[in-house]
Structures are given as structure tokens and as C-alpha cells.
Amino acid sequence: MNIPVFVIALFALQLICLMVGKRASKQLDTQDDYFLAGRGIRFFPLLMTLIATQIGGGLILGSAEEAFRYGWYVLFYPLGASLGLILLAAGIGRRLSQFKVSTVAQLFEVVYKSVRLKKIASLLSIISLFMILIAQVIASKKFMTSIGVTDNWLFIGFWSIVILYTVAGGLKAVVATDIIQALFFICIFIASIVYSLWFNPAITLNLADIGWGEGFEFDQSKLLGWLLMPLLFMVIEQDMAQRCFAAKSGKVVSWASGCAALCIIFVCSIPVYYGILGKAMGVQVPEGASVLMSVLTASTTPVITALFGCAILAAIISTADSLINAISSNIAQDFDFQLFRKKNNVKASQWVTCTIGCLALLCSFYFNNVVEVLIQSYELSVSCLFVSVFAALFIRQGNAFSGTYSILFGAVGFILFRWMPIDILPREILSLAFSAVGYVLGEIQCRIQGQVPEKA
């Protein structure tokens, strides 16, 4: 791998993003401008930011590593995110866009008439998104180390640029830079696979059969984690809902989500291809090294490998800046802090965004493995929030009992089925079922007291 090409390409791309982000920071007069881009995002920018947000380093590197073991079955891995986007395209995104709110947590105040539930939901969202953010920063650090870039100052330097333009322009900057970074990694992915197909035609023609053949396992238990959790998390994920709230119209959300779902499957099939190719070529992956980068080193040129490495970091960054903005949105708009009572106090929002980004960068030096915590943070949010958020999209007025009990029962199920697993059904399904039972009990209590919520 050509390290100088990697470093030059990485910093050149981020400096371009910095210029674009600074330009996007003009005319930020209110928090709606900063966190929702004035609620005027059109089709193409929305399409590209949805792709950039969902295709992160974990999806790319994880797809290749899993494909090295499981073959073409790993297409179920990105399919979870794609199905979530299809769910948004089918009408969920349009319904989200109709609410005049800024965060998912605010649905609890609007629909369930409970400020306390809003704050609880927001806190769960912040914890989940912050753990995902730390995981992204750590993944970038480990990735750079695995390819031979070990200078911490380079790592701090490019992340400082990312934080700087995210702070300056808010969602406008995030969307503008997502367009650049998504186009970059899509073009590099396509160029690399064209090169591989051109120079390895014989083995490529056999990959369709090789990927289902001997040497590849099939772990049925992984399907739930690959499909269900990403699909359900899409509905309650603040950074995705934020884009629905910021879109120009519900129709734009539907079209952009549907097209993004197809693009994600196409883009993620490329690292899956390289994982299977590595298995077919008998590539030896050193301890701690990336399967994808090992295969690229063996099958392409040092320059292509360097540009692909830069593209992977661009994907990580485009997910991370969305998370930084989403977390600061929750903090600034869901809690009654004196600092944010003035809607035109953009400076306060920028300081919160800066703090979140710097804190995630700092944590990356003190935490090494957050995978298990990351998985649990996904499951905790889905277990506690999915049922009540999904229901809120289809009723005009809910009741605080249903919202409270669904969160409480979901949390109990999340804890209980780790301590006392049941073989009949997966723990994720059981936790969701518990949450649904809590919601129904809240509805029953509401009707006993003579309160009947209106249907949409």
C-alpha cells in the first residue's frame, strides 16, 4: 500500500470538505437552520446523505470479513439497513416528515403529552448514538494502525478537521460534505472492482458458485442481528429521523429512501465480493489485519489500495459527523437548558457539537473494544423505544401510560432475557414482545379511566 498517497488523499478530501462546510455555515440564523437545514433538503442531497450515513466503516469492513467466512449469505448484512430504508420509503419516512418536531424524542411530548418521557427517550438515544460514535472513531484508529499509519497526530489532525466543519455548519455542512464523501467512496469502489474484474476474469466468473460452496459456513443465528436490529433501529434512529424532518416534503423522503436502499446493496456487494475473492485466492490475513485491505493488497495495485483505504475512512467520517450532529440535536432541543431557550442561539449549539466531537475523539484513546456495548446499545434503544415510536406514527393522541409502560417493559425484557435466556425465541423478539405488552396494558388502563386516544 502506498502510504503517502493515502495520507495526501485523506487530507485533501477533508480540506475540500472543510471549505464546503464553511460555505454551508453561512445564513445559520436559528436552531432549525443548524439542526434541520431550514427543512428544505431536496432529493439528491437527501439521497447522498442517507447513503453516507448508513454506509459506515463497520458495514464495509464487516461485510468483507463476514463474507470471508460466510460467502454470499453476508448480503443479508447490508440488507437490514436497506430494508429499513424501504420501510421509510413505504410511508414511515413521510409520516415522520409530517411532524413539526426536531427529534424523535419530541414525539413523546407531542403524541403522548409527556415531557418526562421525551427526556427519557432522548437520553436513551444520546447513549446509543454516542456509543456508536465512539465505535466509529475507534474503528478509524484501528484501521489506520492496521495499514501502517500509526502517527497519532495524523489521526487527531484529520478528526479535528471533521469536527471543525461539523461544528461550523451543522446539518447543512454534514449534508454538503456527505455528498462529496459518498461520491468519492462510491467512485473508488467502482473503479477498484472494475480493475479486479478486468485483471482477474477467470476467478471472478466462478465467484457466484464459490460463494455458496464448501469452506463457507451459514450461521442462521446471525440473521436476526443482521436483519432485524438495523431495520427496527432505522425508525427510532435520530440521525435518520433528522433527515426526514429536514426534507422538503414527504415525497422527497420516500423517493430518496427507496433509491438509497438500492444503492446500499450495490455498494456493499463490493466488499462482499472482495471477501469471497480473498477466500477463493487463499489470501492469508495477518493477526489484527483487515480482510478487505489484505485482499486488495493481493489483488490490486498499491495506489488503488491506498485510495480504497481513504474511501473507507471517508465512509466512517460521513457516518460519524451525522452522529455528532444528531447527538447535539438531542441535547440542545430535548432538554430545557437555559442556554438553548433562544431559538436563534446558534453559537450555543455549535459549542455543544464541538464538545461531543472532542469527547468522542478523547474516548477513542481510552477505550479499545466497545463492540459488545455497541450491540447492547442498539438492542436497548430498540427494546425500549420502537413500539411506542412506531405507534406514535399512527395515532393522533396517545397516553402517557402506554408510552411509560412500553419503555419500562422493554427495559425489563432487555435485562431479563440476558439474565434468564429462553430458547424458544430470540431475546430481541422477547424484549419487543414485552414492550408491546406494556403498551397494551397502558391502553387498557387509559380506557378504564375513560380516556380514548384518537386514531390517525
Side-chain angles (χ1 to χ4, degrees):
M1 175 173 164
N2 193 317
I3 299 296
V5 170
F6 170 80
V7 174
I8 291 169
L10 176 62
F11 276 89
L13 180 64
Q14 294 315 306
L15 287 173
I16 292 170
C17 289
L18 178 60
M19 289 187 290
V20 171
K22 290 291 287 183
R23 185 177 178 182
S25 66
K26 297 177 181 178
Q27 297 180 335
L28 295 178
D29 300 321
T30 66
Q31 286 189 21
D32 255 16
D33 292 332
Y34 189 77
F35 289 120
L36 296 175
R39 299 184 189 265
I41 301 179
R42 297 179 181 273
F43 170 77
F44 182 73
L46 185 60
L47 168 65
M48 299 311 293
T49 193
L50 289 175
I51 293 171
T53 301
Q54 286 303 307
I55 299 179
L59 196 60
I60 296 169
L61 297 171
S63 292
E65 289 179 13
E66 296 293 309
F68 193 76
R69 295 179 58 196
Y70 301 112
W72 291 113
Y73 294 109
V74 179
L75 285 174
F76 284 110
Y77 193 22
L79 186 60
S82 293
L83 288 175
L85 284 166
I86 289 172
L87 191 63
L88 292 180
I92 298 300
R94 186 188 294 265
R95 284 185 174 271
L96 280 169
S97 69
Q98 291 172 352
F99 285 93
K100 299 304 178 183
V101 297
S102 302
T103 69
V104 172
Q106 288 176 8
L107 293 175
F108 287 87
E109 183 176 13
V110 172
V111 177
Y112 296 104
K113 309 301 180 185
S114 174
V115 175
R116 181 179 297 176
L117 285 179
K118 178 189 72 173
K119 292 179 179 180
I120 292 172
S122 185
L123 188 60
L124 286 169
S125 177
I126 290 168
I127 293 170
S128 178
L129 293 177
F130 189 69
M131 291 308 302
I132 298 169
L133 173 60
I134 294 175
Q136 294 293 323
V137 182
I138 291 174
S140 69
K141 193 170 188 291
K142 285 186 173 182
F143 176 73
M144 290 179 71
T145 302
S146 73
I147 60 177
V149 182
T150 57
D151 191 331
N152 283 334
W153 288 110
L154 286 176
F155 173 73
I156 294 171
F158 92 81
W159 271 109
S160 297
I161 296 173
V162 173
I163 294 169
L164 187 58
Y165 65 68
T166 305
V167 168
L171 187 62
K172 284 185 178 181
V174 169
V175 171
T177 55
D178 277 354
I179 294 172
I180 295 170
Q181 303 201 100
L183 287 174
F184 177 78
F185 68 67
I186 290 171
C187 289
I188 295 299
F189 284 14
I190 292 173
S192 66
I193 198 168
V194 167
Y195 179 92
S196 297
L197 292 172
W198 183 266
F199 288 99
N200 298 291
I203 194 169
T204 298
L205 290 173
N206 295 322
L207 282 188
D209 295 327
I210 291 173
W212 305 105
E214 294 182 3
F216 291 99
E217 308 170 26
F218 176 61
D219 190 345
Q220 190 173 1
S221 65
K222 282 186 171 290
L223 287 180
L224 193 67
W226 286 348
L227 284 172
L228 185 65
M229 286 298 109
L231 190 158
L232 299 183
F233 191 66
M234 190 79 70
V235 177
I236 63 171
E237 191 177 355
Q238 168 59 19
D239 57 340
M240 293 301 292
Q242 189 177 15
R243 280 146 180 77
C244 296
F245 300 144
K248 188 172 181 62
S249 68
K251 185 178 180 181
V252 169
V253 174
S254 295
W255 278 102
S257 299
C259 293
L262 298 176
C263 290
I264 286 173
I265 287 293
F266 168 73
V267 172
C268 290
S269 66
I270 295 174
V272 170
Y273 159 84
Y274 279 114
I276 298 171
L277 179 65
K279 184 81 169 184
M281 292 174 62
V283 173
Q284 297 298 314
V285 181
E287 183 71 25
S290 161
V291 169
L292 180 56
M293 297 307 291
S294 298
V295 177
L296 285 164
T297 300
S299 61
T300 64
T301 69
V303 171
I304 291 177
T305 304
L307 291 174
F308 205 106
C310 183
I312 291 171
L313 274 181
I316 294 173
I317 291 164
S318 61
T319 299
D321 59 10
S322 298
L323 292 168
I324 293 171
N325 188 258
I327 295 166
S328 59
S329 174
N330 278 128
I331 294 172
Q333 300 186 91
D334 292 336
F335 298 91
D336 191 27
F337 296 126
Q338 181 69 33
L339 193 63
F340 302 108
R341 287 181 181 174
K342 293 181 179 179
K343 295 298 181 182
N344 59 349
N345 195 351
V346 174
K347 287 291 183 184
S349 301
Q350 290 174 326
W351 276 110
V352 171
T353 305
C354 182
T355 303
I356 295 297
C358 292
L359 190 58
L361 181 59
L362 182 65
C363 287
S364 70
F365 288 95
Y366 293 95
F367 295 92
N368 186 47
N369 188 354
V370 295
V371 173
E372 185 60 29
V373 178
L374 176 62
I375 292 170
Q376 290 186 15
S377 69
Y378 270 111
E379 292 182 13
L380 176 62
S381 289
V382 171
S383 298
C384 294
L385 300 179
F386 177 78
V387 170
S388 49
V389 170
F390 190 78
L393 301 177
F394 298 94
I395 57 176
R396 287 199 185 97
Q397 183 180 336
N399 68 86
F401 298 125
S402 297
T404 301
Y405 294 164
S406 66
I407 292 175
L408 180 62
F409 277 53
V412 169
F414 173 81
I415 297 169
L416 179 64
F417 298 119
R418 274 161 179 73
W419 173 64
M420 189 180 66
I422 297 176
D423 295 332
I424 300 174
L425 287 172
R427 66 183 186 221
E428 297 89 349
I429 299 293
L430 290 169
S431 296
L432 282 169
F434 250 52
S435 180
V437 168
Y439 190 90
V440 171
L441 289 176
E443 291 293 298
I444 292 172
Q445 181 172 346
C446 177
R447 281 163 172 75
I448 289 174
Q449 295 183 357
Q451 305 170 16
V452 182
E454 300 177 38
K455 302 296 180 183

